[in-house]
């Protein structure tokens, strides 16, 4: 029995020895693998705040003429990525008064100043909404050991809005030049020094577009079967061409179309969507129609941290279309003033002002406007726009006075009514609504006002629709039903009495 117990004990000890040796070998193997492959960056960094299409300012490099070691393009791209990520996490830190991610992109010496600002702002209930829109980088030095880089970042376009207890203390836009030193630590280029060399207020002097808005007689356009989904799977060249032929033969000369921000791919515009947008302009050109392209449809964020994404989106579209012969103008956004209550007027107008500047920086030829929802808002940003546009769904008896008042306030710029109209829905949800004859009388009166005052106009819209997306007017049936009957052509493809007044001589 003693012999048996000794054998069992011996077996347990041998087995334990084997397990311990295996664990030691596995540990040594892991360390050896780590040292040979480098640290796993996804495990080492706070990846939840890593830039994944979160920060895309304009960035330009000067040709490489640096002292020291030559630099390959892969290393240059790595420096660029980490440098922009460092800016992004700093903006997040100042907006949230937290320091998550700062350690990943700043050395111990550099991060101390960020920590100090965050602590002070947190104590005083101050937050900073900030971003940079442009960077112009020059590589000045790259060390022989490949561990140190010196950059100059010239004319960084910075925007900041400073709040205290939700009240705006300061809004500023500056051009700043920085001297930057970065160290390669654990596979990451971290900022060691970010030295401000000079700064000055940014003065965006308005430059009028080269083209001038002349007489517009137009209409807002969606195909009848796919309203608010012009560029979807049911995109049909033949239907669009047929519709544009109707529009042209009715005496109109232009259309207004919409580019939905999310549907087009957010910051990185989907090539297939852009190709369909170009096709719409191609078809318009064949029918001798001009096109106002309205950007950022169904977008309502306006957060400063997302401005670079919005700018990237706009630049992609504007760059692709700016030389198209059918392009008439850019409309930055449809009715942004409707977001004043929920998002804040300061936030919305600051965003709109920046998007105007972004579009005009790419296209100096075509005029830029904003389609405000009413005459009360039409003077907002008037000094930044090439022409003023507003929508009008109120009593026509007041239209002439409203227009003349705007002409007095804005004497030197064209003014266009880019939406107006009336629904001919009279049914269960509105038994006392307007009939088709009432709609015709409305358009007859509107055209009389336009003729008398030599006004440019774009009506809403060519067709009655059979289905309105809930995103447009919500789910309430009386709102959806009314929206279905604004057209000059009914759901059966027949012209309504109002079609006689779709245009004027």
């Amino acid at each position: 029995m003693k012999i048996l117990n000794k054998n069992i004990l011996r077996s347990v000890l041998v087995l334990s020895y084997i397990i311990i040796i295996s664990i030691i070998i596995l540990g040594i193997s892991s360390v050896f693998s780590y040292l040979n492959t480098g640290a796993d960056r996804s495990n080492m960094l706070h990846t939840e705040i890593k830039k994944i299409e979160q920060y895309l300012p304009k960035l330009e490099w000067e040709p490489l003429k640096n002292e020291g070691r030559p630099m390959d393009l892969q290393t240059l791209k790595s420096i660029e990525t980490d440098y922009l990520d460092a800016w992004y996490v700093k903006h997040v830190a100042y907006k949230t008064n937290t320091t998550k991610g700062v350690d990943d992109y700043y050395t111990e010496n550099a991060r101390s100043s960020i920590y100090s600002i965050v602590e002070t702002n947190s104590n005083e209930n101050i937050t900073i909404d900030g971003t940079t829109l442009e960077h112009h980088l020059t590589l000045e030095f790259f060390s022989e050991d490949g561990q140190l880089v010196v950059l100059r970042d010239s004319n960084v376009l910075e925007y900041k809005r400073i709040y205290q207890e939700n009240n705006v203390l300061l809004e500023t836009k500056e051009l700043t030049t920085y001297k930057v030193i970065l160290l390669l630590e654990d596979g990451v280029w971290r900022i060691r020094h970010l030295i401000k060399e000079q700064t000055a207020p940014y003065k965006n002097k308005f430059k009028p577009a080269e083209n001038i808005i002349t007489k517009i007689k137009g209409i807002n356009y969606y195909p009848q079967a796919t309203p608010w989904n012009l560029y979807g799977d049911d995109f049909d060249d033949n239907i669009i061409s047929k519709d544009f032929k109707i529009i042209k033969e009715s005496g109109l000369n232009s259309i207004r179309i919409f580019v939905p921000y999310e549907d087009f791919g957010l910051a990185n515009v989907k090539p297939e969507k852009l190709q369909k947008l170009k096709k719409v302009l191609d078809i318009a050109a064949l029918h001798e129609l001009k096109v106002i392209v309205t950007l950022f449809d169904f977008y309502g964020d306006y957060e400063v941290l997302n401005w670079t994404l919005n700018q990237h989106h706009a630049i992609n579209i504007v760059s692709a279309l700016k030389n198209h012969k059918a392009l008439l103008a850019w409309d930055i956004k449809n009715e942004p003033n409707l977001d004043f209550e929920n998002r804040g007027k300061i936030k919305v107008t600051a965003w709109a002002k920046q998007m105007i500047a972004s579009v005009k920086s790419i296209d100096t030829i075509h005029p830029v406007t904003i389609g405000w929802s009413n005459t009360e808002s039409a003077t907002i940003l008037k000094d930044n726009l090439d022409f003023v546009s507003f929508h009008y769904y109120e009593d026509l008896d007041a239209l002439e006075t409203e227009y003349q008042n705007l002409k007095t306030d804005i004497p030197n710029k064209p003014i266009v009514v880019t939406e107006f109209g009336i629904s001919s829905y009279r049914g269960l949800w509105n038994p006392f609504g307007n009939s088709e004859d009432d709609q015709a009388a409305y358009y007859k009166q509107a055209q009389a006002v336009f003729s008398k005052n030599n006004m440019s106009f774009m009506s809403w819209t060519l067709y009655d629709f059979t289905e309105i997306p809930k995103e447009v007017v919500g789910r309430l049936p009386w709102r959806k039903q009314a929206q279905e009957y604004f057209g000059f052509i009914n759901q059966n493809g027949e012209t309504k009495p109002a079609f006689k007044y779709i245009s004027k001589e």
Side-chain angles (χ1 to χ4, degrees), residues 207-413:
K207 295 181 180 178
E210 293 182 25
N211 287 0
I212 299 173
I213 289 292
T214 55
K215 196 62 179 177
I216 294 176
K217 298 187 296 179
I219 196 165
N220 290 265
Y221 175 73
Y222 284 113
Q224 186 170 39
T226 56
W228 290 273
N229 190 25
L230 175 55
Y231 317 98
D233 294 338
D234 295 323
F235 183 89
D236 191 319
D237 302 13
N238 295 324
I239 289 175
I240 296 170
S241 184
K242 176 180 71 70
D243 291 345
F244 286 5
K245 183 174 185 291
I246 293 171
I247 291 170
K248 180 64 178 179
E249 291 179 349
S250 72
L252 300 174
N253 62 16
S254 52
I255 61 169
R256 179 171 175 253
I257 58 175
F258 304 83
V259 177
Y261 180 72
E262 183 173 351
D263 183 55
F264 262 63
L266 308 174
N268 293 314
V269 176
K270 297 176 183 177
E272 65 273 18
K273 296 289 185 178
L274 187 56
Q275 194 59 40
K276 289 176 181 178
L277 176 58
K278 287 181 179 177
K279 187 64 178 178
V280 173
L281 269 70
D282 290 343
I283 299 170
L286 289 174
H287 292 280
E288 299 181 323
L289 293 171
K290 292 292 186 179
V291 184
I292 295 179
V293 177
T294 303
L295 303 170
F296 296 105
D297 206 27
F298 291 110
Y299 181 75
D301 190 339
Y302 310 108
E303 289 296 333
V304 174
L305 272 175
N306 291 329
W307 282 15
T308 64
L309 306 182
N310 306 150
Q311 175 177 261
H312 197 72
H313 171 96
I315 287 173
N316 284 339
I317 293 174
V318 174
S319 298
L321 298 183
K322 66 178 183 178
N323 295 319
H324 202 291
K325 63 181 180 181
L327 181 63
L328 174 61
W330 300 103
D331 185 343
I332 295 298
K333 188 176 185 338
N334 185 58
E335 301 184 342
N337 54 308
L338 296 184
D339 293 324
F340 284 174
E341 183 175 351
N342 292 328
R343 299 294 184 178
K345 184 176 180 179
I346 291 175
K347 185 179 291 187
V348 176
T349 53
W351 174 90
K353 189 175 181 179
Q354 178 55 45
M355 292 309 115
I356 294 167
S358 297
V359 170
K360 290 181 75 66
S361 72
I362 302 301
D363 186 354
T364 61
I365 305 296
H366 298 95
V368 174
T369 193
I370 291 177
W372 303 107
S373 72
N374 52 46
T375 55
E376 290 78 14
S377 299
T379 57
I380 298 172
L381 298 177
K382 63 181 180 180
D383 295 332
N384 300 86
L385 298 168
D386 294 291
F387 70 102
V388 170
S389 62
F390 67 93
H391 303 164
Y392 196 85
Y393 292 98
E394 290 80 25
D395 188 345
L396 283 177
D397 291 338
L399 175 57
E400 182 175 0
T401 300
E402 296 278 356
Y403 178 76
Q404 291 301 333
N405 287 340
L406 279 178
K407 290 293 290 182
T408 301
D409 291 340
I410 314 168
N412 299 319
K413 294 187 179 183

Side-chain angles (χ1 to χ4, degrees), residues 11-45:
S11 299
V12 170
L13 289 173
V14 170
L15 182 61
S16 299
Y17 176 78
I18 293 172
I19 293 173
I20 291 170
I21 293 298
S22 298
I23 292 172
I24 292 172
I25 292 172
L26 179 62
I28 293 172
S29 176
S30 298
V31 171
F32 182 78
S33 176
Y34 175 86
L35 292 175
N36 277 275
T37 61
D40 182 353
R41 179 169 173 170
S42 65
N43 291 328
M44 183 179 69
L45 301 181

Side-chain angles (χ1 to χ4, degrees), residues 94-153:
Y94 291 166
K95 178 179 175 64
T96 62
N97 284 331
T98 62
T99 58
K100 186 178 292 185
V102 173
D103 290 5
D104 297 332
Y105 294 100
Y106 294 85
T107 66
E108 184 176 355
N109 182 62
R111 70 181 72 127
S112 61
S113 64
I114 297 175
Y115 290 166
S116 176
I117 292 172
V118 167
E119 182 179 5
T120 299
N121 288 349
S122 182
N123 291 336
E124 297 183 10
N125 202 14
I126 290 173
T127 57
I128 302 174
D129 265 355
T131 192
T132 58
L133 284 305
E134 295 182 20
H135 292 265
H136 307 274
L137 294 172
T138 303
L139 178 63
E140 296 189 339
F141 180 76
F142 185 33
S143 65
E144 289 293 338
D145 62 2
Q147 304 294 303
L148 182 145
V149 160
V150 179
L151 306 175
R152 174 166 274 101
D153 196 352

Side-chain angles (χ1 to χ4, degrees), residues 151-190:
L151 306 175
R152 174 166 274 101
D153 196 352
S154 304
N155 292 324
V156 179
L157 180 55
E158 296 188 72
Y159 174 87
K160 296 187 187 97
R161 191 187 307 131
I162 302 175
Y163 294 88
Q164 185 171 39
E165 297 179 351
N166 296 321
N167 297 314
V168 177
L169 297 180
L170 177 68
E171 185 179 26
T172 180
K173 205 171 184 182
E174 299 172 332
L175 285 175
T176 306
T177 295
Y178 292 93
K179 188 75 168 274
V180 189
I181 299 175
L182 298 103
L183 294 179
L184 185 62
E185 297 180 347
D186 303 320
V188 182
W189 287 100
R190 291 190 171 98

Side-chain angles (χ1 to χ4, degrees), residues 344-499:
K345 184 176 180 179
I346 291 175
K347 185 179 291 187
V348 176
T349 53
W351 174 90
K353 189 175 181 179
Q354 178 55 45
M355 292 309 115
I356 294 167
S358 297
V359 170
K360 290 181 75 66
S361 72
I362 302 301
D363 186 354
T364 61
I365 305 296
H366 298 95
V368 174
T369 193
I370 291 177
W372 303 107
S373 72
N374 52 46
T375 55
E376 290 78 14
S377 299
T379 57
I380 298 172
L381 298 177
K382 63 181 180 180
D383 295 332
N384 300 86
L385 298 168
D386 294 291
F387 70 102
V388 170
S389 62
F390 67 93
H391 303 164
Y392 196 85
Y393 292 98
E394 290 80 25
D395 188 345
L396 283 177
D397 291 338
L399 175 57
E400 182 175 0
T401 300
E402 296 278 356
Y403 178 76
Q404 291 301 333
N405 287 340
L406 279 178
K407 290 293 290 182
T408 301
D409 291 340
I410 314 168
N412 299 319
K413 294 187 179 183
I415 299 175
V416 184
V417 184
T418 47
E419 280 188 32
F420 76 102
I422 192 171
S423 174
S424 64
Y425 174 70
R426 178 185 286 179
L428 174 64
W429 298 107
N430 189 5
F432 303 104
N434 296 297
S435 67
E436 290 188 356
D437 288 336
D438 294 331
Q439 185 188 45
Y442 168 91
Y443 278 107
K444 181 179 180 180
Q445 182 183 352
Q447 293 296 355
V449 176
F450 297 152
S451 294
K452 179 181 177 183
N453 295 275
N454 196 29
M455 294 170 62
S456 289
F457 66 89
M458 306 188 90
S459 55
W460 185 275
T461 179
L462 183 63
Y463 285 110
D464 284 352
F465 303 123
T466 56
E467 184 63 34
I468 304 295
K470 66 180 184 299
E471 293 81 7
V472 178
V473 292
R475 299 178 181 274
L476 299 176
W478 49 90
R479 296 186 64 183
K480 294 188 70 173
Q481 288 287 305
Q483 187 65 52
E484 291 176 3
Y485 291 89
F486 271 84
F488 293 94
I489 300 174
N490 68 21
Q491 295 174 0
N492 297 320
E494 303 162 337
T495 59
K496 296 159 70 175
F499 192 85

